[in-house]
C-alpha cells in the first residue's frame, strides 16, 4: 500500500514539472491552499515589530546568476521553464531530506525489521522517479548554474540510497555521509529563491510554502502512528517552546536541555495537537538539531505541520537514547549577523584545532528574545565537507523567523573524518565586480593520477579585521576532472558588500 501511494504521489509531483501552463503572478496562485481560520494557542507569541539584532551587522550573500536588467521582458515560456526547474530542485531536496529522516528513524530503533526495509524501498523509488525526470529536463540559462550545483547532491542521495539498500552502509553512516549534500542543496535553493524574487517578483513566502508542502507530502507517505513516549524522558527536559503560523503551516520551536550526567542522542520531540474538547486532531515529530547533546548541553528544535486546522493547544513529549560524549575540536572563530530582505543571516568561519581531519561540521544557531526564550532557529554545514587540522571553513545560516530576537548562541558539532585528496589545486583566479554581483573566475587543475569528481570551489570574503563578510561556492564546469586535466569555474556572489580580500579553496572526490 505504501508503495502504491508513493507512486501516485511521485507521478503527481513529477507531472507537475512538465506541462506548460499559463503564467501566474506568483507560485502561490498555482499551488498554495487558502489559510485556515483557526484559534492559535495562547502561548503563541503575538506578532510584533521585528527588532534589529543587537549583534553588530554584517552582510551574508548567496551565489546567484545575474538577473536581467530592469525592464527586460522575460518570455512566459522561460518563466514556466524556471518554475518547472524550481519544482525539480525541491524534489531533489525532498529526496535528500527524506533519506536523512528515514535513516535517523532506523538508527534510533523507531523503524525496524520489515518496516525499515519498506521505508528504504519507498525512498529508493522516489529517488529513481526524480532521477528519471531530472535526466530529461533542460533548465533555462538563468538557472543553469543552480541546476549544475544541485545535480551532485542528487547523485549523492542516489548513491547513498543504493549503498544502504545493499547493506554496504548502516543508517548512522547514511546520516553522516548525507550531511554535506543537505547543506549544499539548501544553499542552492536559497540562491534560486533570491533570483526568482528579483527577476519574477515571486514572494519568498510562497516559495517556502511550496517547499514545505512537498516535504510534508513526502513525509505523509512514510508516516506511521507515532508511539506515545513516556513524558518522563530521562534527563532531557523542554526548557522553552513557542509556536507561530506562516502561510498554511504551524511551526513549533523551542529548546531542550540534557540535565543528566551522560550524553544523549536521537532526542525526539513529539507534538500532539488538540482541538476543542481535547480532541486529538494531529501529531508531528522531529529530532533536535544537535545530534548528540552533552551533559548540561542544549539543543533547539523545530516542528512544522500543515495539519493543524481547528487546533486550540498542543502537548510536547520527549524520548531519547544514551549516546557517546561529543568531542569536536572545532570552534567558531568569527561571525557577523544582519537582517536583510526579511531574513536573519549569520555568516562566519570555524577552525579545526584538533590533530585529525573533521567532517560533517554543523553550525547551529539559536536566537533568543529578551526573556531568553527561543525566537528562531537555523543551522547549516560548513562549505568545506572536510576540514584538515588547522584548517578553516566558512558557513552561512539564514532564517525568516526571528521576531523579538535580541541575541544568538552558536554551537558546532563534527565527526572525525579522512582527509580528502590533496592533488586538486587552484591554478589561477581573479575577481570582477559590478554594481549587482561579484564574479570570481579561475581554473582548477587535477595534479593526481586518477580522475576527480564533485570538484567544489569555495570562496570566503574577509573584511579588514579578518572577519568573514560573505561566502559562496560552485562546482567546476567539468563534472569529471581527468588526471592532469583542468576545468574553469565561476563563483558568483549576489549584491556583494565591501571586502578587503578573499580566499579560494577546492575539494573533490
Amino acid at each position: 500500500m505504501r508503495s502504491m501511494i508513493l507512486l501516485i504521489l511521485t507521478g503527481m509531483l513529477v507531472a507537475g514539472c512538465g506541462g506548460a501552463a499559463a503564467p501566474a503572478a506568483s507560485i502561490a496562485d498555482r499551488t498554495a491552499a487558502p489559510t485556515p481560520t483557526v484559534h492559535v494557542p495562547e502561548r503563541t507569541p503575538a506578532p510584533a515589530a521585528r527588532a534589529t539584532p543587537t549583534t553588530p551587522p554584517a552582510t551574508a550573500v548567496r551565489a546567484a546568476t545575474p538577473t536581467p536588467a530592469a525592464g527586460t521582458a522575460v518570455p512566459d515560456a522561460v518563466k514556466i521553464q524556471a518554475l518547472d526547474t524550481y519544482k525539480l530542485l525541491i524534489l531533489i531536496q525532498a529526496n535528500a531530506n527524506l533519506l536523512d529522516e528515514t535513516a535517523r528513524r532506523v538508527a534510533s530503533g523507531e523503524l525496524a525489521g520489515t518496516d525499515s526495509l519498506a521505508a528504504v524501498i519507498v525512498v529508493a523509488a522516489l529517488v529513481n522517479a526524480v532521477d528519471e525526470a531530472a535526466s530529461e529536463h533542460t533548465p533555462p540559462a538563468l538557472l543553469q548554474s543552480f541546476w549544475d550545483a544541485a545535480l551532485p547532491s542528487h547523485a549523492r542521495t542516489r548513491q547513498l540510497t543504493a549503498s544502504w539498500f545493499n547493506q554496504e552502509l548502516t543508517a548512522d553512516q547514511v546520516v553522516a555521509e548525507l550531511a554535506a549534500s543537505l547543506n549544499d542543496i539548501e544553499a542552492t535553493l536559497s540562491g534560486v529563491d533570491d533570483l526568482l524574487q528579483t527577476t519574477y517578483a515571486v514572494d519568498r513566502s510562497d516559495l517556502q510554502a511550496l517547499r514545505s508542502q512537498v516535504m510534508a507530502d513526502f513525509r505523509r507517505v512514510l508516516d506511521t502512528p507515532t508511539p506515545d513516549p513516556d513524558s518522563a524522558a530521562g534527563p532531557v527536559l523542554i526548557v522553552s517552546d513557542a509556536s507561530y503560523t506562516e502561510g498554511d503551516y504551524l511551526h513549533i520551536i523551542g529548546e531542550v536541555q540534557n540535565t543528566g550526567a551522560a550524553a544523549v542522542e536521537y532526542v525526539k520531540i513529539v507534538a500532539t495537537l488538540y482541538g476543542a474538547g481535547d480532541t486529538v486532531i494531529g501529531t508531528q515529530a522531529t529530532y533536535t538539531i544537535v545530534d548528540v547533546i552533552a551533559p548540561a548541553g542544549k539543543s533547539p528544535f523545530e516542528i512544522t505541520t500543515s495539519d493543524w486546522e481547528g487546533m486550540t493547544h498542543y502537548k510536547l513529549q520527549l524520548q531519547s537514547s544514551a549516546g557517546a560524549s561529543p568531542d569536536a575540536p572545532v570552534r567558531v572563530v568569527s561571525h557577523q549577523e544582519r537582517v536583510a530582505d526579511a531574513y536573519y543571516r549569520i555568516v562566519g568561519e570555524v577552525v579545526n584545532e584538533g590533530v585529525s581531519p573533521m567532517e560533517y561540521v554543523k553550525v547551529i544557531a539559536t536566537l533568543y528574545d529578551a526573556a531568553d526564550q527561543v525566537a528562531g532557529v537555523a543551522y547549516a554545514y560548513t562549505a568545506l565537507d572536510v576540514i584538515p587540522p588547522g584548517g578553516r571553513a566558512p558557513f552561512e545560516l539564514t532564517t525568516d523567523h526571528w521576531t523579538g530576537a535580541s541575541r544568538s548562541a552558536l554551537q558546532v558539532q563534527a565527526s572525525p573524518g579522512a582527509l580528502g585528496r590533496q592533488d586538486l589545486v587552484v591554478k589561477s583566479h581573479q575577481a570582477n565586480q559590478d554594481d549587482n554581483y561579484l564574479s570570481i573566475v579561475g581554473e582548477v587543475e587535477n595534479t593526481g593520477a586518477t580522475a576527480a569528481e564533485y570538484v567544489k570551489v569555495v570562496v570566503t570574503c574577509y573584511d579588514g579585521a579578518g572577519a568573514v563578510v560573505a561566502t559562496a561556492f560552485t562546482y567546476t564546469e567539468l563534472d569529471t576532472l581527468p588526471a592532469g586535466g583542468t576545468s574553469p569555474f565561476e563563483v558568483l556572489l549576489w549584491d556583494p558588500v565591501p571586502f578587503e580580500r578573499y580566499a579560494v579553496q577546492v575539494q573533490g572526490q
Side-chain angles (χ1 to χ4, degrees):
M1 178 62 71
R2 281 184 182 175
S3 297
M4 181 63 68
I5 296 174
L6 171 71
L7 293 175
I8 294 172
L9 173 61
T10 303
M12 292 173 61
L13 290 171
V14 174
C17 298
S26 73
I27 294 224
D29 296 332
R30 300 168 63 179
T31 60
T35 303
T37 301
V38 300
H39 173 65
V40 180
E42 293 181 356
R43 50 181 166 174
T44 301
R50 294 190 167 184
T52 301
T54 56
T55 310
T59 300
V61 294
R62 291 280 182 191
T65 302
T67 61
T72 300
V74 180
D76 289 343
V78 175
K79 294 180 182 179
I80 295 171
Q81 190 181 18
L83 293 178
D84 289 345
T85 300
Y86 187 74
K87 290 177 184 178
L88 268 174
L89 291 173
I90 293 175
L91 293 176
I92 289 173
Q93 183 183 48
N95 277 336
N97 287 340
L98 194 63
L99 177 61
D100 180 67
E101 291 186 15
T102 303
R104 289 177 184 275
R105 292 172 69 178
V106 172
S108 67
E110 181 184 344
L111 287 176
T114 56
D115 284 342
S116 64
L117 177 60
V120 177
I121 292 174
V122 167
V123 173
L126 249 175
V127 171
N128 289 337
V130 175
D131 190 51
E132 181 178 348
S135 67
E136 300 173 353
H137 180 72
T138 301
L142 195 66
L143 298 181
Q144 185 66 55
S145 63
F146 295 104
W147 182 252
D148 292 342
L151 291 181
S153 297
H154 176 64
R156 189 65 171 158
T157 301
R158 183 178 63 240
Q159 175 190 358
L160 291 174
T161 303
S163 296
W164 190 18
F165 180 80
N166 294 329
Q167 299 183 342
E168 297 168 356
L169 294 175
T170 65
D172 283 321
Q173 290 172 322
V174 171
V175 171
E177 294 283 346
L178 191 61
S181 292
L182 292 172
N183 187 58
D184 288 353
I185 189 60
E186 174 59 31
T188 298
L189 269 166
S190 294
V192 179
D193 287 349
D194 292 340
L195 190 60
L196 292 181
Q197 182 181 37
T198 303
T199 307
Y200 305 139
V202 178
D203 194 300
R204 290 185 70 105
S205 63
D206 293 335
L207 297 173
Q208 293 294 324
L210 178 59
R211 290 164 65 175
S212 298
Q213 181 62 57
V214 172
M215 195 60 222
D217 289 341
F218 275 33
R219 286 195 187 102
R220 197 169 291 117
V221 175
L222 288 179
D223 272 349
T224 55
T226 301
D228 197 22
D230 186 349
S231 59
V236 186
L237 302 175
I238 295 175
V239 295
S240 171
D241 72 278
S243 64
Y244 67 94
T245 59
E246 189 173 68
D248 296 335
Y249 289 84
L250 170 74
H251 300 258
I252 302 174
I253 59 175
E255 189 173 46
V256 304
Q257 182 170 22
N258 178 8
T259 63
V264 294
E265 62 181 350
Y266 300 119
V267 179
K268 185 177 183 180
I269 302 96
V270 177
T272 305
L273 312 182
Y274 297 92
D278 279 347
T279 301
V280 175
I281 63 171
T283 181
Q284 189 60 269
T286 192
Y287 291 90
T288 53
I289 298 177
V290 177
D291 296 331
V292 182
I293 308 176
K298 295 182 178 181
S299 173
F301 65 85
E302 179 172 11
I303 295 174
T304 304
T305 180
S306 60
D307 297 326
W308 59 284
E309 186 171 2
M311 185 189 73
T312 58
H313 59 288
Y314 63 86
K315 176 177 68 177
L316 299 179
Q317 296 172 280
L318 295 171
Q319 63 183 23
S320 62
S321 304
S325 294
D327 183 20
V330 182
R331 68 179 181 89
V332 176
V333 290
S334 72
H335 75 281
Q336 300 187 39
E337 309 177 17
R338 77 168 187 138
V339 173
D341 299 327
Y343 275 73
Y344 194 110
R345 298 177 181 264
I346 302 175
V347 62
E349 190 173 45
V350 302
V351 63
N352 178 6
E353 297 179 328
V355 297
S356 301
M358 301 300 292
E359 59 184 355
Y360 314 123
V361 181
K362 186 178 185 181
V363 184
I364 302 107
T366 308
L367 309 182
Y368 299 93
D369 61 20
D372 270 349
Q373 298 299 294
V374 175
V377 299
Y379 73 92
Y381 291 87
T382 54
L384 284 181
D385 299 335
V386 180
I387 307 176
R392 298 185 175 218
F395 66 86
E396 182 179 3
L397 306 89
T398 63
T399 178
D400 63 351
H401 183 78
W402 50 276
T403 302
S406 60
R407 70 176 183 89
S408 67
L410 299 181
Q411 299 183 67
V412 182
Q413 67 176 37
S415 303
L419 192 61
R421 54 190 306 160
Q422 302 296 294
D423 49 16
L424 301 173
V425 297
V426 178
K427 287 189 64 179
S428 65
H429 59 83
Q430 67 175 17
N432 305 300
Q433 187 168 358
D434 68 9
D435 293 337
N436 296 320
Y437 66 95
L438 170 69
S439 168
I440 298 176
V441 295
E443 191 173 42
V444 172
E445 181 180 9
N446 178 4
T447 64
T450 59
E453 296 182 315
Y454 308 119
V455 179
K456 185 178 185 181
V457 181
V458 178
V459 170
T460 309
C461 298
Y462 300 88
D463 63 17
V468 177
V469 296
T471 181
F473 70 88
T474 191
Y475 290 87
T476 54
E477 294 294 336
L478 289 179
D479 298 332
T480 300
L481 190 54
T486 63
S487 175
F489 67 85
E490 181 178 21
V491 179
L492 294 160
L493 292 95
W494 186 251
D495 192 23
V497 295
F499 64 95
E500 290 294 324
R501 64 181 179 89
Y502 67 89
V504 182
Q505 300 181 78
V506 61
Q507 65 176 25
Q509 300 178 18

